Amino acid sequence: MTVILGLNAYHADSAACLLVDGKVVAAAEEERFRRIKHWAGLPEEAIRWCLADGGIGLDQVDHIAVNADPSAHHLRKFAYVLSHMPDPRFLLQKIINKRERSGISGDLVQAFSTVRLRAKIHHIEHHYAHLCSAFGCSPFERAVAVSVDGFGDFASTAWGFGDGASVRVDGRIYFPHSLGAFYTAITQYLGFPHYGDEYKVMGLAPYGELTCLNEMRRIVVLLPGGEYRLNLKYFRHARERLPHQWSSGAPVVGNHWSQDLERLLGPPRKPDQPVEQRHKDIARSAQRMYEEALFHLLNSLHAKYQLSDLAIAGGCGMNSVANGKITQETSFQRVYVQAAAGDAGGAVGAAVAVWHDLKGERCIPMQDAYLGPQASETEISQLLSTRVADLAAAGCECRNVADEDALCAIVAREIADGRVVGWFQGRMEWGPRALGNRSILGDPRRPDMKNILNAKIKRRESFRPFAPSVLREAVPEWFELDGDVPFMTHVFPIRAERRALIPAVTHVDGSGRLQTVSPGGNPLYYRLIKAFFDLTGVPMVLNTSFNENEPVVCRPAEALDCFLRTKMDVLVLGSVIIRRVAT
């Protein structure tokens, strides 16, 4: 037996995974245990859980793979320093970051002081780890692999070719040029300052017009051969030491944009200011610029490799709007995006890279994303027995429904009657999306459901959409494109004649970020949606993450707490249905 522990450490979305004989058997982000969004640092709690879930001690781990290589691209780094003479504080911070990543063995020994560490530690170049996660987890035998994100190991983009157990890197775009940095700069400029807020720009974009596209083309310049460059006058990251925090807490990143961007686009929006049409237009134009650059690269790669399959990873791989257009804007026919395409997924990619190198065998493709903690019925029962007073004070009744078909029928009726349901089942999802095990569910037919959810639970910007979880076989009848999207990584246009039937999951531009649900991928969730379909004739439910301005819930106690402090109507913990009967 070969045991590999994969880590994304000392960076945002810190995470761990366990790869045993080529199969990912456990994976989780540290934020789910620490309850701090995008937690950065050494993922101690995720490591402990992965090892416990696998029944493996740290002293039984053969290899530890980290998705960063402090020694990568030294000559390029040195040449950049000589030619640009950056702020000395910028260089000092880079040295500190390098020491943190290099000292991981000592930190593990300190964190697990009672265990002898015998594993060999492998530092895997950041984008190579992304490429291995993209292709290695995919169902493709041969495919183009692409990694696009902010920065990692002095690069922002990489591409190559996957064939069996081999992943080859054929090209990179290096610091300071980055589509991720471009999107982050626009996100911050639009008044969304927190790490990971880029999805808000993506949600805002359909409300705007392309009035600023010419300005965006001055910021990002497309080059022959598929590459691109940033006009660095609009950015600060190339020379300045931006304030940031990558260790033991919530990640913080300083503003990327310069005063020249203000002169180009006008005054930036402050977080407490209303979103105006001008901001929507900037978001729309920035999203289109990102798509132009991405499709420019992908079309060049298709011409080079002449393959129909594409695997994508990196933080920009979570741009589901662009992902949904790839088969229309390029010649690629199938697109795979790993459930945790961002830096958390680098933990899997690093482990896969080591497995391929050691064994020369392809790892087992990732069939689903249900790789996190689960709760037993005993654990749920014990929790509820200790919270009787809290449940009574909230006017709740509990009912145990052991028969799964009956459970699905009851919950489907609650959703069809307009109630908001917290759905907590099985193993927690790997990656940022709730995929039917840690989800809040609603009726997609109700025009007011978005407002109900925002008022009762989410308390978030009104322009952000909610997603449909759709029976796999029903996709062609409801969407203009077809395909397997089990990880909610693509936005597809909804058929025009269907949009009025599902207003709660139809975005302003007529699209929806779908999740396809199959009987084999998540049997219970599939049966719930099927029960709703039998009641309503609509083969989908509205699905959003089970949380309230916090990481997605992990344990049943967190689900119960979220239910009690919000105005959710129903909570389903395993086979137990908790329903508010008094207001």
Side-chain angles (χ1 to χ4, degrees):
M1 183 172 71
T2 301
V3 179
I4 303 173
L5 179 66
L7 302 179
N8 173 42
Y10 309 116
H11 198 276
D13 296 318
S14 173
C17 79
L18 195 65
L19 191 83
V20 179
D21 288 339
K23 181 179 181 180
V24 180
V25 298
E29 296 96 323
E30 187 75 1
E31 67 162 22
R32 307 296 172 87
F33 305 99
R34 303 270 187 170
R35 309 309 301 160
I36 297 174
K37 279 189 173 182
H38 303 294
W39 196 90
L42 182 68
E44 292 181 33
E45 298 303 317
I47 292 171
R48 294 182 197 277
W49 175 79
C50 285
L51 294 175
D53 185 74
I56 292 170
L58 185 60
D59 57 347
Q60 296 173 288
V61 173
D62 301 301
H63 301 272
I64 296 174
V66 186
N67 68 327
D69 182 2
S71 66
H73 313 310
H74 263 167
L75 291 178
R76 283 189 173 270
K77 294 175 186 177
F78 184 65
Y80 183 83
V81 169
L82 289 181
S83 61
H84 291 79
M85 295 301 292
D87 185 333
R89 295 172 298 173
F90 174 89
L91 298 178
L92 177 62
Q93 190 61 55
K94 293 293 182 184
I95 293 170
I96 293 171
N97 291 348
K98 177 178 176 179
R99 286 178 177 174
E100 281 185 337
R101 288 170 169 80
S102 300
I104 194 166
S105 58
D107 289 346
L108 285 169
V109 168
Q110 184 175 357
F112 299 87
S113 57
T114 61
V115 178
R116 174 179 168 269
L117 183 66
R118 68 175 183 86
K120 181 179 179 180
I121 295 179
H122 306 257
H123 288 278
I124 307 300
E125 194 270 339
H126 182 86
H127 287 278
Y128 182 60
H130 273 322
L131 294 180
C132 287
S133 96
F135 175 71
C137 294
S138 78
F140 306 142
E141 290 298 322
R142 301 171 76 242
V144 175
V146 177
S147 168
V148 186
D149 66 7
F151 294 108
D153 288 335
F154 209 67
S156 70
T157 303
W159 57 85
F161 168 71
D163 185 2
S166 171
V167 178
R168 187 181 74 203
V169 183
D170 290 335
R172 291 184 174 91
I173 294 174
Y174 292 93
F175 182 94
H177 304 286
S178 165
L179 283 180
F182 160 70
Y183 214 93
T184 293
I186 297 298
T187 299
Q188 295 169 334
Y189 170 88
L190 287 174
F192 305 118
H194 300 298
Y195 183 91
D197 275 353
E198 287 80 1
Y199 64 94
K200 296 183 180 181
V201 175
M202 189 169 58
L204 182 63
Y207 292 88
E209 302 294 334
L210 294 173
T211 60
C212 305
L213 188 54
N214 288 335
E215 287 82 354
M216 294 300 162
R217 288 170 177 161
R218 293 171 60 181
I219 300 170
V220 181
V221 180
L222 306 186
L223 304 178
E227 296 193 27
Y228 64 86
R229 291 290 182 269
L230 300 183
N231 186 335
L232 295 175
K233 68 183 283 188
Y234 299 113
F235 300 89
R236 298 172 55 212
H237 66 270
R239 291 184 60 87
E240 298 182 42
R241 177 185 177 269
L242 301 184
H244 76 278
Q245 196 289 119
W246 290 124
S247 299
S248 301
V252 176
V253 180
N255 282 341
H256 280 49
W257 48 273
S258 71
Q259 289 185 344
D260 283 294
L261 190 70
E262 291 187 47
R263 286 189 278 269
L264 180 69
L265 299 177
R269 172 182 170 268
K270 295 180 180 179
D272 59 350
Q273 290 179 330
V275 175
E276 301 173 351
Q277 187 60 44
R278 180 176 71 90
H279 304 129
K280 299 173 185 178
D281 294 347
I282 291 170
R284 175 77 178 275
S285 302
Q287 174 65 27
R288 176 62 66 85
M289 185 69 251
Y290 169 79
E291 293 169 4
E292 285 189 3
L294 178 66
F295 301 149
H296 177 65
L297 171 64
L298 295 183
N299 279 314
S300 173
L301 295 179
H302 185 271
K304 174 180 180 179
Y305 293 105
Q306 293 293 306
L307 291 172
S308 61
D309 294 335
L310 172 69
I312 297 179
C316 293
M318 298 309 296
N319 193 309
S320 53
V321 173
N323 293 344
K325 298 177 181 179
I326 289 174
T327 57
Q328 296 174 298
E329 300 290 339
T330 78
S331 296
F332 288 105
Q333 297 175 16
R334 294 193 299 173
V335 181
Y336 176 87
V337 183
Q338 201 237 104
D343 286 327
V348 168
V352 168
V354 171
W355 170 260
H356 286 174
D357 185 57
L358 288 172
K359 300 296 183 178
E361 300 175 4
R362 179 74 181 270
C363 70
I364 298 172
M366 189 177 289
Q367 301 292 334
D368 61 61
Y370 307 110
L371 297 166
Q374 60 186 332
S376 66
E377 291 293 334
T378 300
E379 182 180 351
I380 292 170
S381 177
Q382 290 175 345
L383 169 68
L384 296 178
S385 69
T386 65
R387 304 293 294 274
V388 172
D390 294 334
L391 290 166
C396 297
E397 65 176 14
C398 298
R399 177 184 178 189
N400 194 305
V401 182
D403 181 85
E404 290 185 345
D405 287 334
L407 178 77
C408 290
I410 294 168
V411 175
R413 171 52 66 187
E414 295 282 7
I415 296 171
D417 287 344
R419 295 183 180 87
V420 177
V421 176
W423 181 253
F424 182 101
Q425 302 291 334
R427 295 188 69 136
M428 182 182 70
E429 298 89 341
W430 164 241
R433 307 296 188 210
L435 302 172
N437 279 7
R438 302 290 185 275
S439 292
I440 295 173
L441 308 178
D443 188 343
R445 304 170 302 163
R446 292 185 60 126
D448 59 347
M449 183 51 66
K450 283 179 62 175
N451 292 333
I452 291 171
L453 282 166
N454 279 326
K456 287 189 172 186
I457 300 149
K458 304 298 280 189
R459 300 186 178 94
R460 67 186 198 178
E461 296 89 351
S462 61
F463 59 78
R464 288 166 56 188
F466 293 98
S469 293
V470 188
L471 298 180
R472 173 64 187 91
E473 63 271 21
V475 172
E477 297 178 8
W478 287 77
F479 291 83
E480 293 180 9
L481 299 175
D482 190 18
D484 291 316
V485 192
F487 305 140
M488 205 184 287
T489 52
H490 295 57
V491 169
F492 283 171
I494 297 169
R495 291 190 177 277
E497 67 274 17
R498 301 284 195 177
R499 293 171 188 172
L501 301 176
I502 48 172
V505 295
T506 301
H507 208 6
V508 66
D509 62 354
S511 66
R513 190 185 70 201
L514 80 160
Q515 173 203 0
T516 56
V517 183
S518 63
N522 191 329
L524 185 63
Y525 193 39
Y526 179 90
R527 287 152 70 187
L528 172 62
I529 301 172
K530 182 65 165 58
F532 183 81
F533 175 47
D534 292 340
L535 279 174
T536 65
V538 174
M540 67 190 74
V541 295
L542 179 151
N543 173 17
T544 188
S545 56
F546 199 150
N547 61 345
E548 180 214 15
N549 296 315
E550 61 178 331
V552 175
V553 299
C554 177
R555 302 294 190 184
E558 294 150 10
L560 181 59
D561 288 341
C562 184
F563 170 75
L564 291 174
R565 72 172 178 266
T566 64
K567 296 179 180 179
M568 208 179 305
D569 301 300
V570 178
L571 172 62
V572 186
L573 290 176
S575 63
V576 179
I577 300 174
I578 305 168
R579 191 174 187 275
R580 295 183 193 270
V581 294
T583 57

